[in-house]
Amino acid sequence: MKILKIAHLYPKLLNIYGDGGNILTLIRRCEWRGISYILDEINVGDKIGEHDIYFIGGGQDTQQIEVAYELQKHKDFLRQERDRMSVFLGICGGYQLMGHYYKPHEGDKLPGISLLDAYTVAGNNRFIGNVTVKTKFVTPETLVGFENHSGLTYLQGETVPLGEVITGNGNNGKDKTEGARYKNVFGTYMHGSFLPKNPRFADYLLELATGEKLSKLDDLIEDTAHNALINKSY
Ligand code: GLN
């Protein structure tokens, strides 16, 4: 199996509510299977080379501003990576910047890199609480996490939701969608962090990135954490 190349985008700026735990989950699930990987931390001013998986976490509006304009330098390259079917996972603020734009309450519209056909505008309420989603991408078909955002995201074109909201608000609290997918680009509002409590989704991303079916792991602890959150609102 090839050495998996993982890029953690702007962790010094977008890494709120423990989103770095998503990277830990990916590398631990590689280590437990003996899969070799390289983890590159990409910060402002760094070049970005080809990777198999890109991860970007969430953050407040102020951190998003700096990252939004830094990402514009890499927009064409990252869209080529998307079209090469590299895997992307963006959480909340990072997810918002994977769309066309994010219009915060104050200030100008922040440009996105349009990996997803989606856009976000700040709403008047802040959505805070646990989220349960019904998805068709993994079995069992639930994803759980924690949301804390005022942004309202709307999907267009061929970009489809990660799933249907069972509890919580999701993308906008209106259309019962949560998250997004286009090709192998995934976004979600679910912090938590997301992947530790959704081990099958973590493996789904690893299988997309490696192109291989992976061995099963003992996920008793992860599944216990996952099941404890299903349909829990607060
Ligand atoms: N600043 C964005 C919002 O409030 C994203 C927040 C986050 O990443 N948790 O919608």
Side-chain angles (χ1 to χ4, degrees):
M1 184 178 292
K2 69 179 180 181
I3 297 176
L4 201 60
K5 295 184 70 178
I6 304 171
H8 189 175
L9 300 177
Y10 313 111
K12 292 187 169 66
L13 291 166
L14 292 182
N15 190 5
I16 200 168
Y17 309 126
D19 286 340
N22 292 288
I23 288 285
L24 285 177
T25 302
L26 291 172
I27 62 176
R28 289 289 177 274
R29 297 184 80 82
C30 284
E31 289 164 0
W32 293 335
R33 294 181 169 104
I35 298 172
S36 303
Y37 65 87
I38 294 168
L39 174 60
D40 291 326
E41 186 175 292
I42 307 291
N43 292 298
V44 171
D46 290 349
K47 287 187 173 45
I48 306 178
E50 288 187 352
H51 288 80
D52 303 300
I53 299 179
Y54 295 86
F55 174 77
I56 183 167
Q60 299 308 337
D61 289 10
T62 42
Q63 285 87 0
Q64 281 182 283
I65 293 169
E66 184 170 0
V67 173
Y69 289 102
E70 179 69 12
L71 276 173
Q72 290 304 303
K73 301 173 192 168
H74 308 287
K75 179 174 183 174
D76 293 343
F77 170 73
L78 291 172
R79 291 178 74 177
Q80 285 165 20
E81 287 291 88
R82 173 201 63 187
D83 295 339
R84 192 171 70 85
M85 302 305 278
S86 289
V87 172
F88 289 76
L89 177 63
I91 308 289
C92 203
Y95 164 33
Q96 294 171 341
L97 296 179
M98 294 200 302
H100 300 310
Y101 62 82
Y102 168 49
K103 175 67 183 78
H105 281 294
E106 312 293 329
D108 300 334
K109 202 187 268 190
L110 298 183
I113 53 176
S114 301
L115 299 183
L116 296 166
D117 190 357
Y119 64 92
T120 302
V121 292
N124 297 322
N125 306 310
R126 177 159 282 276
F127 294 147
I128 300 175
N130 289 302
V131 179
T132 303
V133 169
K134 186 175 185 316
T135 183
K136 60 175 188 294
F137 297 123
V138 291
T139 308
E141 299 178 331
T142 48
L143 296 172
V144 296
F146 184 85
E147 64 184 334
N148 182 337
H149 60 103
S150 64
L152 307 174
T153 297
Y154 299 93
L155 310 183
Q156 303 175 138
E158 293 176 66
T159 294
V160 297
L162 196 54
E164 178 196 358
V165 174
I166 307 298
T167 55
N169 296 280
N171 281 329
N172 50 55
K174 297 189 194 78
D175 63 13
K176 303 297 280 177
T177 66
E178 160 46 23
R181 178 184 190 173
Y182 177 61
K183 296 187 176 179
N184 284 342
V185 178
F186 298 87
T188 180
Y189 273 112
M190 290 189 272
H191 295 285
S193 39
F194 177 56
L195 291 180
K197 290 190 279 292
N198 298 286
R200 252 155 303 288
F201 193 78
D203 284 350
Y204 181 56
L205 297 184
L206 288 171
E207 288 182 346
L208 287 171
T210 58
E212 309 217 5
K213 192 86 182 111
L214 300 179
S215 58
K216 289 275 171 257
L217 295 173
D218 174 2
D219 285 327
L220 177 61
I221 295 172
E222 294 84 351
D223 287 338
T224 303
H226 179 99
N227 296 336
L229 275 173
I230 290 179
N231 298 332
K232 187 168 177 220
S233 50
Y234 276 92

